[in-house]
Every structure is written in structure tokens, then in C-alpha cells.
Amino acid sequence: ERATSDHPLASVVPTREAAYAIAALFLGIELMSRLDPERSEADQVFTMMETIAGLIENLGPALLTEA
């Protein structure tokens, strides 16, 4: 929470729940990639998540100031 307390989205996204969701998503991706390595989409999912994180980082504060 200390690392995100001054971020504009801190008031909208609860830190504990967000951390839990990220950890669960990571563990789920890891599990799926181990169960069926031939069809693993893990790299593509992490790339997609990186893109989404960049969008949120860039657009999130602007959306909050308009609300």
C-alpha cells in the first residue's frame, strides 16, 4: 500500500484485493501452462496484461479527473 498510496487510482482500486487478483491470475496462468505446455498462451497473456497495465497507467488518471 505504501508504494501505491500516492497513485491517482489508489482511491478506486483496493490494494489488497488487486494484489490477490494479480497473484491468482499469475498462479492460474502458471498452472495452465504446466498442464498443457503444447498449448500454452502464457507469453501472449503476459504481453496482453502488460499492454493493459500501460493503458491504465496512461489513461487512468485522465479518466479520474474527468469524473
Side-chain angles (χ1 to χ4, degrees), residues 18-42:
Y20 185 88
I22 291 167
L25 182 61
F26 176 79
L27 291 173
I29 292 168
E30 284 294 307
L31 175 65
M32 293 301 294
S33 69
R34 300 287 187 253
L35 291 175
D36 193 0
E38 297 293 320
R39 295 187 53 211
S40 177
E41 303 291 332

